[in-house]
Amino acid sequence: MIKRITLFSCPMDVALMDETVNWIADRTSRRQFTQHVVVNVAKVVNMRSDARLAESVRNCDLINIDGMGVVWAARLLGHVVPERVAGVDLFGRLVAMAAKRGFPVFFLGGTEEVAAKVCAKLKAQFPALKVAGSHHGYFWDNEQEVVENIRTSGARLLFVAITSPKKEAFIERWKQQLGVDFVMGVGGTFDVIAGKVRRAPRWMQMAGMEWVFRVIQEPRRMWRRYLITNSKFTLMLIKARIAATFGSTA
């Protein structure tokens, strides 16, 4: 059973991977619109200073906990969180579900080359997958045209591989015009599927060290981001733990 908690003023849904996939599949089959997001340490921190990002996250129908840092923080503050639901893993499960149930999908994001590779690889992996369309993520000069293409494509599920907070703002801005039943921001997932970026080994994922692996791959772009957000999140957690000890809630 999916249960909603609040951590650092951010609503989050505690759910197993199977529960999440089944919940989304059921709503999609009933043509019930679902706006989905995953939260990690960086997103929770950035929500504190970015009101638009915070609003878009809070407006989502399903908010899965992606980062192990958030899982550990929730547990430390008294919440029962059995597992993380990583966005890249959920993406794979949902594509498999869409192929099985005949739900057309649309892939939005990445470069043209990456978008093409994602379509080709997933079609090879899931021959029954119906790809309603795809488009690269550099479309801000003709945003409305891209939205119209998605709306008329017949897609039931839309995956948006654009960096945060742009993807959340895009989804929030256009969700009424997209014409899909499910929309999910998947960040850098397309780069992983296309083989442009490697994912951390399983042991690093479980140890909450994926961020270290990303810094190693892209040190100039990532070191400052993770140093700042991880430090801020640690301070937030310390303050919340002290407040909880003295009878307050996080």
Side-chain angles (χ1 to χ4, degrees):
M1 181 178 178
I2 296 177
K3 176 185 177 183
R4 178 156 289 193
I5 63 173
T6 299
L7 193 69
F8 305 118
S9 301
C10 176
M12 304 177 189
D13 294 310
V14 177
L16 300 174
M17 177 66 78
D18 287 344
E19 290 176 323
T20 299
V21 174
N22 291 337
W23 192 83
I24 293 169
D26 179 65
R27 284 173 65 97
T28 303
S29 66
R30 292 187 283 111
R31 306 303 299 258
Q32 188 173 358
F33 178 73
T34 302
Q35 183 179 354
H36 176 275
V37 71
V38 294
V39 290
N40 54 22
V41 165
K43 194 167 293 182
V44 170
V45 169
N46 291 332
M47 284 174 64
R48 295 217 153 187
S49 58
D50 189 331
R52 179 177 292 183
L53 173 63
E55 181 182 13
S56 66
V57 170
R58 294 188 181 111
N59 285 341
C60 287
D61 303 288
L62 185 60
I63 306 170
N64 281 126
I65 301 174
D66 184 325
M68 281 304 300
V70 180
V71 171
W72 290 333
R75 289 172 179 171
L76 185 62
L77 295 173
H79 299 287
V80 178
V81 181
E83 68 178 19
R84 67 185 288 218
V85 178
V88 62
D89 296 326
L90 179 58
F91 170 79
R93 290 286 301 273
L94 291 177
V95 170
M97 180 274 292
K100 183 177 180 179
R101 298 201 177 205
F103 297 148
V105 300
F106 196 106
F107 301 116
L108 176 64
T111 62
E112 284 192 26
E113 180 183 6
V114 165
K117 283 186 177 180
V118 167
C119 290
K121 285 198 171 186
L122 292 177
K123 280 291 291 181
Q125 185 177 358
F126 305 103
L129 181 66
K130 298 179 180 178
V131 178
S134 67
H135 196 284
H136 62 76
Y138 304 91
F139 56 85
W140 305 110
D141 291 335
N142 61 332
E143 193 171 343
Q144 191 163 357
E145 181 181 333
V146 170
V147 170
E148 181 64 14
N149 288 341
I150 295 169
R151 189 186 67 79
T152 59
S153 71
R156 301 282 297 277
L157 288 83
L158 168 64
F159 299 101
V160 183
I162 300 171
T163 57
S164 184
K166 282 187 175 182
K167 65 177 179 292
E168 289 85 3
F170 169 80
I171 293 169
E172 183 68 16
R173 183 163 58 250
W174 294 104
K175 60 183 178 182
Q176 301 298 333
Q177 288 79 42
L178 291 170
V180 297
D181 301 316
F182 173 83
V183 57
M184 172 187 182
V186 295
T189 295
F190 287 6
D191 286 341
V192 174
I193 301 298
K196 184 178 178 182
V197 173
R198 288 186 299 140
R199 194 176 179 196
R202 182 68 175 171
W203 71 267
M204 293 187 79
Q205 297 176 36
M206 299 305 296
M209 295 176 63
E210 281 185 287
W211 67 272
V212 176
F213 193 79
R214 291 198 66 186
V215 170
I216 292 172
Q217 290 189 88
E218 302 178 87
R220 290 188 177 183
R221 190 167 76 91
M222 291 296 178
W223 78 267
R224 181 177 173 83
R225 167 187 164 182
Y226 284 114
L227 175 64
I228 293 173
T229 55
N230 287 358
S231 298
K232 286 184 177 180
F233 188 78
T234 300
L235 182 59
M236 288 163 56
L237 179 56
I238 291 172
K239 289 180 176 178
R241 182 60 179 157
I242 292 172
T245 301
F246 290 95
S248 300
T249 57

